[in-house]
Amino acid sequence: MAEQVYFVQVQGKSGRYWVERDPASMDFNSTVEDIADGQIEDIVSVLEIANGAATDATDKVSRAVMTKWAHEGEPLTHAQYNFVEMHVGTRAARSFLRHEVA
């Protein structure tokens, strides 16, 4: 079985584009870490390429990011809350504490 690689599409000021990443860091775990650590923001979708076929992996990656944040136990930032709400759902987002907005 070939290794999967993950391409992340984001929404920028001038439209949507695919994030340039080091090919060595395009595996599932690196993709989850990059998103969870805030290195990639404004995500529209995540595409998984394996064995010459592409599938939408947005839900799988988003849920892994959300789980990582849940295990960290910290309140979510506004951007993190929006990410969970957009890609997993409002109910999931509301289950997290949020940073106070000043």
Side-chain angles (χ1 to χ4, degrees):
M1 182 173 141
E3 184 176 326
Q4 294 95 352
V5 293
Y6 294 82
F7 293 88
V8 181
Q9 185 181 52
V10 298
Q11 179 68 45
K13 288 182 173 50
S14 60
R16 293 181 179 183
Y17 64 93
W18 296 98
V19 177
E20 289 187 40
R21 299 169 65 208
D22 179 351
S25 298
M26 294 177 73
D27 61 282
F28 180 80
N29 291 331
S30 296
T31 300
V32 169
E33 288 293 324
D34 289 349
I35 295 169
D37 294 344
Q39 294 179 41
I40 303 173
E41 297 177 331
D42 301 321
I43 293 148
V44 175
S45 62
V46 180
L47 193 63
E48 175 183 4
I49 309 289
N51 300 319
T55 57
D56 183 354
T58 308
D59 186 64
K60 178 168 78 171
V61 170
S62 297
R63 288 180 183 281
V65 169
M66 180 187 72
T67 299
K68 181 176 178 359
W69 288 335
H71 288 158
E72 290 173 355
E74 295 293 322
L76 296 185
T77 66
H78 183 71
Q80 290 170 328
Y81 180 90
N82 287 342
F83 173 85
V84 173
E85 185 175 44
M86 176 185 291
H87 295 291
V88 181
T90 302
R91 178 183 245 169
R94 288 182 177 168
S95 71
F96 285 89
L97 293 174
R98 293 173 62 183
H99 281 286
E100 293 294 322
V101 179

